[in-house]
Amino acid sequence: MKDFFRGVRRHIERLDVTHLREEYARLSDEAASLDALFATLAEGIMVLDRDGAILKANPAVSRLLGMDPEDAIDALAIPLGKASKREIGITYPDARTLEMQTVPIDDAKTLVHLRDVSAEKERTEEELRVGATRAVRDLAAGVAHEIGNPLNALSLNLQLLKRTAGDDESIDECLRQVERLEGILRGFLQALRPSKPNLAPGSVAEPVRNCLATMKAQLEQRHISVTLDLAGAIPPVAIDKDQMEQVFFNLVKNSLEAMRDGGEIDIDISSDDNDVVVRISDDGLGMGAEQVAHLFEPYRTSKEHGTGLGLMISQRIVRDHGGSIAVESNPGEGTSFTIRLPRLERRVRELK
Ligand code: ADP
Ligand code: MG
């Protein structure tokens, strides 16, 4: 382009009118398409003269700045005739960060380039945050792991003591507390260092049944009846049975804890075209909207001895299975959790 103009300048006296007309038409077409491009760019472009007056600005400039560029020019303190790059914070109409670059075009003009970098910035901050969290997490997991050994020793010695001292209220209480600590630690470690599921084709009904068998005594003791409803043949899913049993255990235990003496838990297993669906409903005390909004967040518990980790771990396990977990609840009306796991055929189809 530059060379072309130089050539035309050099020969302009010798060009005939027809030639000039043709060149003029070509140039005005070119200028029109450049103008259109200038007007539609997402980036803001301005050209300033040596006094800082605006010679040209595209519509993106006022959109990015949130005001007429004439009104912003002083505040921007643009270094004229210099190459520069900096970030500027904009608060109106919403908070965002712009990157401003200046490029001197010739002695007289400065090109200003504006770009919204809010999203990029957020991303890097998020990456930093995740990195820092990981370091703290590794440290916490290390400490938790170290606590496990002395706890183990305590529990062993307490059991020995119990054998020699016979039945003793305080030894029993110590054992119970140590067991509780071990439980908290186990949950904590599981939350910090989740292990990837070992997926194999299988039925979701099996871990549900195993979970109910494990909890049988607890459920009976509190006069809670459980009905298990299987709608026809349940298609197989890719499942880590141990991990899913843990999920069902966490959910049934929460239901049990949400009920006073007596009550009913319904477990319903069905399937649709895509998923196998397990719905666990209770008629316990339910939850308000505020509580539901923060569900699955770690350390949120309404219980004196709760850890607030059960649901978070459950959600993570279900997600690692490619599934989802949803909740519905109302205060006084009970709660139901719905777990969806993708049907095996669907997973296979997706992999193809
Ligand atoms: P924890 O049971 O240790 O408190 P969870 O992550 O398992 O931790 O549950 C978090 C909170 O969610 C519980 O403290 C309780 O307030 C609420 N919640 C969970 N399941 C139910 C349920 N079935 N009915 C009522 N509230 C529930
Ligand atoms: Mg729980």
Side-chain angles (χ1 to χ4, degrees):
M1 195 84 156
K2 237 182 187 167
D3 291 346
F4 166 81
F5 281 117
R6 222 171 270 145
V8 174
R9 265 192 195 161
R10 214 178 301 136
H11 301 292
I12 198 151
E13 276 89 46
R14 272 176 279 153
L15 285 176
D16 58 41
V17 178
T18 331
H19 249 104
L20 275 174
R21 253 194 218 126
E22 270 171 24
E23 286 309 328
Y24 184 83
R26 221 175 56 72
L27 279 174
S28 70
D29 278 355
E30 188 107 31
S33 58
L34 281 177
D35 262 351
L37 179 71
F38 189 66
T40 52
L41 273 180
E43 278 102 5
I45 309 272
M46 272 194 293
V47 181
L48 307 185
D49 70 9
R50 59 157 57 94
D51 300 320
I54 300 172
L55 298 174
K56 219 169 171 8
N58 69 348
V61 173
S62 30
R63 191 167 35 78
L64 286 167
L65 292 173
M67 61 169 96
D68 195 321
E70 299 281 4
D71 300 330
I73 204 84
D74 285 340
L76 287 175
I78 296 169
L80 296 169
K82 287 195 192 107
S84 69
K85 177 171 167 172
R86 69 180 161 100
E87 277 181 353
I88 41 184
I90 302 282
T91 49
Y92 181 85
D94 44 3
R96 60 206 187 282
T97 309
L98 303 184
E99 183 188 80
M100 183 173 80
Q101 277 195 70
T102 60
V103 182
I105 324 183
D106 52 39
D107 303 345
K109 291 179 199 127
T110 305
L111 183 91
V112 182
H113 182 238
L114 288 170
R115 195 162 68 92
D116 192 336
V117 292
S118 319
E120 271 170 50
K121 215 177 148 222
E122 235 165 67
R123 220 176 304 131
T124 24
E125 268 164 23
E126 174 69 14
E127 274 159 18
L128 284 174
R129 209 176 53 75
V130 169
T133 316
R134 193 169 302 146
V136 173
R137 215 172 51 186
D138 285 349
L139 184 69
V143 172
H145 196 77
E146 287 307 314
I147 296 174
N149 294 332
L151 267 185
N152 243 332
L154 257 179
S155 154
L156 273 173
N157 281 294
L158 281 170
Q159 273 159 23
L160 281 177
L161 249 182
K162 194 177 160 167
R163 223 172 284 161
T164 46
D167 267 346
D168 184 315
E169 280 281 316
S170 33
I171 295 178
D172 282 344
E173 181 56 19
C174 284
L175 265 172
R176 256 197 305 279
Q177 294 299 337
V178 167
E179 247 166 54
R180 218 188 102 215
L181 278 175
E182 282 174 335
I184 293 173
L185 210 60
R186 216 176 308 122
F188 188 64
L189 278 170
Q190 216 172 5
L192 289 171
R193 286 206 187 130
S195 53
K196 287 282 157 224
N198 219 336
L199 298 178
S203 167
V204 80
E206 195 184 317
V208 170
R209 286 207 177 91
N210 287 343
C211 154
L212 292 178
T214 314
M215 302 185 78
K216 196 165 182 275
Q218 274 184 74
L219 290 162
E220 276 171 3
Q221 199 188 351
R222 300 181 63 155
H223 309 104
I224 292 165
S225 62
V226 179
T227 35
L228 177 58
D229 226 345
L230 281 97
I234 301 304
V237 289
I239 190 170
D240 182 322
K241 286 183 181 155
D242 292 336
Q243 289 198 0
M244 281 310 296
E245 187 178 328
Q246 174 79 48
V247 171
F248 297 129
F249 178 85
N250 290 345
L251 296 182
V252 174
K253 185 155 177 282
N254 280 344
S255 289
L256 178 143
E257 287 165 351
M259 293 189 270
R260 302 236 156 70
D261 202 32
E264 214 168 280
I265 300 176
D266 283 324
I267 304 180
D268 189 275
I269 309 180
S270 62
S271 62
D272 59 22
D273 287 349
N274 293 319
D275 304 315
V276 170
V277 186
V278 184
R279 199 176 153 93
I280 301 180
S281 319
D282 65 54
D283 55 3
L285 45 87
M287 286 175 276
E290 164 73 13
Q291 225 181 334
V292 171
H294 293 290
L295 224 54
F296 305 111
E297 288 175 14
Y299 309 115
R300 290 240 178 212
T301 179
S302 59
K303 300 167 194 169
E304 199 187 336
H305 293 308
T307 61
L309 291 173
L311 285 180
M312 193 212 87
I313 292 169
S314 302
Q315 186 183 48
R316 180 139 71 201
I317 292 174
V318 173
R319 279 185 182 162
D320 283 347
H321 277 72
S324 65
I325 180 166
V327 62
E328 280 168 39
S329 190
N330 267 324
E333 287 174 24
T335 304
S336 78
F337 280 88
T338 307
I339 293 173
R340 296 185 156 267
L341 298 179
R343 288 171 62 158
L344 193 64
E345 316 98 76
R346 199 182 116 204
R347 283 181 75 98
V348 174
R349 233 179 291 143
E350 274 172 1
L351 289 177
K352 273 182 193 158

